[in-house]
Amino acid sequence: MLGRFSKIIGLEVEIRMPDSVKAMGPAVYIANHQNNYDLFTISGAVPKNTVSVGKKSLKWIPFFGQMYWLTGNILIDRKNSSKAMNTIAVTAAKIREKKLSVWLFPEGTRSNGRGLLPFKTGAFRTAVQADVPIVPVCVSNLHGVIKLNRWNNGKMIIEFQEPIELDCDKRESIRLLAQKTHGRMLKRINEISHEVGTELPQANK
């Protein structure tokens, strides 16, 4: 429902998903997190039976918070370090038990024009514990693109990449895998951003 708001803010969203992703079961999807407009763009690309992990405080946001909580998304207490440490295990258990997929932002925060920030390893560790693949999702740059005083804010691309199976070697080098995945995603984000004419900041080229 929220994904439909992209038309209201004058943005055309093209979603590209390979057949290998369409036909797969539970997975951990990882995407670049740019700004508050992600709520109205990325939402339209989230596959069925996929939930996300958010701050516990989100449920107090009028309307959105209640909808977010009631639709089965996972809420965590980031201020409580002991609970946060258990988030990976809890998320992996939900993936296994309920056959769900999880959508995560490995940067851990919105980039707000700073390009693709370094990845944390939580999403990759979650995939290992749940024994499911990682699916990178590259979203073209949106920073400074949307002007609410105009009807046409151009086009953005949300592109799903081929699944990454976590074999034994990769299980032993999660941090290296996160770094390599970051590099591949950054390259593709630059390419699709150039395609629609919304270049990333110079530092991330």
Side-chain angles (χ1 to χ4, degrees):
M1 182 184 71
L2 291 172
R4 295 174 184 172
F5 277 82
S6 60
K7 294 181 180 179
I8 295 176
I9 58 178
L11 194 65
E12 177 189 350
V13 179
E14 179 185 346
I15 301 171
R16 300 173 178 174
M17 182 183 292
D19 291 338
S20 57
V21 175
K22 292 178 183 178
M24 69 186 303
V28 172
Y29 296 95
I30 57 171
N32 48 312
H33 193 12
Q34 300 185 65
N35 50 43
N36 290 336
Y37 289 116
D38 288 347
L39 179 64
F40 306 115
T41 55
I42 291 178
S43 294
V46 176
K48 291 183 178 180
N49 299 318
T50 301
V51 298
S52 64
V53 177
K55 295 180 294 184
K56 195 173 182 179
S57 58
L58 285 175
K59 71 179 181 180
W60 301 115
I61 298 176
F63 178 68
F64 169 75
Q66 290 75 51
M67 182 179 64
Y68 187 84
W69 174 52
L70 291 171
T71 49
N73 293 286
I74 303 167
L75 297 171
I76 61 170
D77 186 356
R78 287 186 176 173
K79 293 181 180 179
N80 188 318
S81 58
S82 62
K83 289 183 179 179
M85 289 296 289
N86 195 42
T87 299
I88 292 173
V90 170
T91 305
K94 286 185 179 290
I95 294 172
R96 293 192 305 268
E97 294 166 7
K98 298 187 177 182
K99 306 301 181 184
L100 293 171
S101 293
V102 173
W103 189 288
L104 297 171
F105 296 110
E107 295 164 282
T109 187
R110 300 175 187 85
S111 58
N112 288 321
R114 292 171 290 170
L116 188 65
L117 303 179
F119 284 176
K120 301 180 185 299
T121 60
F124 298 85
R125 296 183 188 280
T126 299
V128 167
Q129 287 199 27
D131 196 23
V132 296
I134 286 275
V135 178
V137 183
C138 298
V139 184
S140 62
N141 179 46
L142 198 61
H143 179 69
V145 171
I146 295 176
K147 306 294 183 184
L148 295 179
N149 61 347
R150 63 188 180 193
W151 290 105
N152 185 358
N153 281 303
K155 176 180 177 179
M156 72 176 295
I157 296 171
I158 301 176
E159 185 175 280
F160 290 71
Q161 306 299 299
E162 293 293 334
I164 300 172
E165 299 292 341
L166 297 166
D167 58 30
C168 293
D169 291 337
K170 289 174 182 174
R171 288 170 187 260
E172 296 173 0
S173 55
I174 290 177
R175 190 168 298 279
L176 179 60
L177 174 61
Q179 292 171 351
K180 287 184 176 179
T181 303
H182 180 281
R184 289 196 293 267
M185 287 181 65
L186 177 58
K187 180 176 183 295
R188 190 56 188 153
I189 291 167
N190 274 316
E191 291 170 350
I192 59 177
S193 296
H194 178 73
E195 182 179 340
V196 296
T198 59
E199 302 286 344
L200 275 172
Q202 189 65 37
N204 268 254
K205 291 184 180 181

